[in-house]
Amino acid sequence: MDLPGGTPGRLWIAGEWVEAESGATFEDRNPDDDSPYATVARGTPGDIRRAVAAARSAFQSYGQTLAKDREAWLMEAAHLMAARKPRFMDALFDEIGSPRKKAEFEFGKALSMLRAAAGMARQAAGKVMPSDHAGRLSISIRRPVGVVAAITPFNVPLIKGVRLTANPLALGNAVVLLPSEEAPVVALLLAELYADAGIPAGAFNVVTGYGHEIGDTLTGHPDVAMVTFTGSSRVGAHIQRICAAGNKRVTLELGGKSPLVVLADADLAKAVPAAVHGIFTYQGQVCMGNSRIYVERPVYASFVDNFKAAADRLGMGDLRNPDTVIGPIISRRQRDRVRSHIEDAVAKGATAVAGGDWVGNRCRPTVLTGVTEAMVCCREETFGPVAAVYPVKSYEEALAKANDTAFGLSAAIFTRNLDRALHFAQHVGAGMCHVNASALQDEPHVPFGGNGASGAGREGTEADIEAMTVLKWVTVNS
Ligand code: NAD
């Protein structure tokens, strides 16, 4: 495969394509058939130190650049990205097994995030404040934090690759990106894009490799001022401890077990497709996936029948076919996890009314009923096309069940009762809540993020201006 910077894939450090210092590489595989997709540099702790040094050095000048210049570079990057859509789409198909609908969604969302990031550059404003002293002008100004480490997951490598790098760059920070080992090529395409758009050398760097080998060197590096991380709750908690010890800023977007509530007065013609979209998009490998569905008893049987029928109809063909919804699970480790969650539930008495079986590396969309506390999938994130549907006797029981979780990312409710909808929106313990829509939603400028095991801090243009700049108090005295 033809990679920017040459084959095998290299690291992007200080505006140059370089090999890993060890010369080592690793195989990036197409999850549909496990065939080799690309060979990519296996970065070492020494490569991380090189990238951080490059970013720190570039920050001396990049941190002083004008907002209008950063805006222009990011606008040019967005312009080039739109022109290079086929290349990005191919990587989303072949590197991470995205069906076309998901790849289209991801590309469109990432592009809008890049455009929104360009708009952030001019918005990093402070304010003028009253003063206790006569003749004093008291103001606050915002400065970039310095070097930001961006660490991204496999499932939305372009959305997160853009958001976690364009937002800090817009604000004058230098960035070192550590992408998932399952999605290094998307990150290399991004490096090429930023370079061609004119982002100065060293302001953006990419080190590919295995996170468990090089991640701690990055997050623990004294010259890294902030970590913006999206990934599993386990790795997120580990990073949070390192950041606390190093007194670093950190934003964590982690896993989920998002509830969808369907009340008896809901419009099932809308609730069922939303539930399908909310859990089966990208074969359930979505942090906001509504894997727990609580349905009021009067409509439970009808909901399950319709949900099962819709799940059975989902296309599992060629990833480039627009009708395909279910593609492969990313890796053997993740396949084992999905398989074990289903087998555990069925062995303990749950019924797979749809799916439960596999075609190659693809798990059929699976609808479970009769799930109990004894089953692993009741509480843990499966990260596959698996939904459990539970009957509930009342709205109050649905809310209590929705909140009985360590996670708190997104939540959704279908009802025509405005009082209940507003009560749910205020009392569900999730960072995001959607009424009469699925739990799977994102926009560039909204406060995006979760509570508890789902993370800390928020992403989004406004939230990132807070997170990725430092306020300085300045007085001018006469
Ligand atoms: P993961 O935690 O396995 O890996 C994420 C990233 O962490 C990768 O780049 C990996 O290289 C890196 N990493 C691994 N060990 C590290 C270490 N010690 N230090 C620093 N970095 C390290 O997650 P994944 O399997 O790639 O992604 C799936 C998870 O991400 C799911 O739990 C999903 O819910 C979550 N996710 C959350 C959001 C959100 O916005 N909340 C979005 C997408 C995915």
Side-chain angles (χ1 to χ4, degrees), residues 277-355:
H277 172 74
I279 186 61
F280 297 128
T281 294
Y282 190 43
Q283 50 276 13
Q285 300 175 121
V286 178
C287 55
M288 294 167 275
N290 43 237
S291 51
R292 300 183 289 144
I293 306 179
Y294 300 105
V295 186
E296 256 192 313
R297 281 201 188 277
V299 293
Y300 176 75
S302 165
F303 179 89
V304 170
D305 284 352
N306 286 295
F307 186 46
K308 168 204 159 25
D312 284 339
R313 281 195 300 271
L314 294 176
M316 292 183 66
D318 188 304
L319 293 173
R320 287 168 167 78
N321 181 333
D323 295 330
T324 300
V325 174
I326 303 294
I329 299 296
I330 191 75
S331 62
R332 177 166 301 184
R333 187 169 59 94
Q334 282 300 123
R335 284 167 218 148
D336 287 347
R337 179 183 178 86
V338 174
R339 196 173 277 117
S340 77
H341 278 208
I342 296 172
E343 286 174 3
D344 169 77
V346 171
K348 290 174 181 164
T351 305
V353 296

Side-chain angles (χ1 to χ4, degrees), residues 22 56 107 171 189 210 305 308 325 370 442:
S22 64
R56 184 175 159 76
F107 182 84
L171 299 166
L189 293 176
Y210 290 98
D305 284 352
K308 168 204 159 25
V325 174
D442 195 2

Side-chain angles (χ1 to χ4, degrees), residues 180-422:
S180 163
E181 61 255 32
E182 310 288 355
V185 171
V186 171
L188 301 183
L189 293 176
L190 208 52
E192 179 187 52
L193 183 79
Y194 285 151
D196 291 350
I199 301 272
F204 179 71
N205 307 273
V206 178
V207 181
T208 55
Y210 290 98
H212 64 268
E213 291 179 358
I214 55 177
D216 290 359
T217 306
L218 180 59
T219 55
H221 197 296
D223 289 338
V224 167
M226 178 186 176
V227 178
T228 174
F229 172 81
T230 300
S232 61
S233 300
R234 183 184 62 79
V235 176
H238 172 73
I239 288 174
Q240 192 167 36
R241 283 191 290 274
I242 291 176
C243 289
N247 199 17
K248 294 174 199 287
R249 291 183 176 210
V250 61
T251 302
L252 301 170
E253 297 297 343
L254 312 177
K257 193 78 191 169
S258 296
L260 167 67
V261 170
V262 180
L263 297 185
D265 66 355
D267 182 349
L268 288 194
K270 290 185 178 153
V272 170
V276 169
H277 172 74
I279 186 61
F280 297 128
T281 294
Y282 190 43
Q283 50 276 13
Q285 300 175 121
V286 178
C287 55
M288 294 167 275
N290 43 237
S291 51
R292 300 183 289 144
I293 306 179
Y294 300 105
V295 186
E296 256 192 313
R297 281 201 188 277
V299 293
Y300 176 75
S302 165
F303 179 89
V304 170
D305 284 352
N306 286 295
F307 186 46
K308 168 204 159 25
D312 284 339
R313 281 195 300 271
L314 294 176
M316 292 183 66
D318 188 304
L319 293 173
R320 287 168 167 78
N321 181 333
D323 295 330
T324 300
V325 174
I326 303 294
I329 299 296
I330 191 75
S331 62
R332 177 166 301 184
R333 187 169 59 94
Q334 282 300 123
R335 284 167 218 148
D336 287 347
R337 179 183 178 86
V338 174
R339 196 173 277 117
S340 77
H341 278 208
I342 296 172
E343 286 174 3
D344 169 77
V346 171
K348 290 174 181 164
T351 305
V353 296
D357 54 339
W358 292 68
V359 181
N361 291 340
R362 303 190 192 193
C363 176
R364 277 192 204 281
T366 300
V367 178
L368 297 172
T369 58
V371 170
T372 66
E373 282 289 336
M375 303 170 192
V376 178
C377 73
C378 184
R379 290 191 173 271
E380 285 188 21
E381 184 181 47
T382 303
F383 224 54
V386 183
V389 191
Y390 304 84
V392 288
K393 62 178 186 310
S394 63
Y395 162 70
E396 288 72 22
E397 186 187 355
L399 177 62
K401 289 252 165 72
N403 281 341
D404 185 13
T405 176
F407 293 103
L409 190 53
S410 190
I413 186 167
F414 273 81
T415 178
R416 290 185 171 97
N417 183 324
L418 190 57
D419 289 346
R420 290 247 166 90
L422 289 176

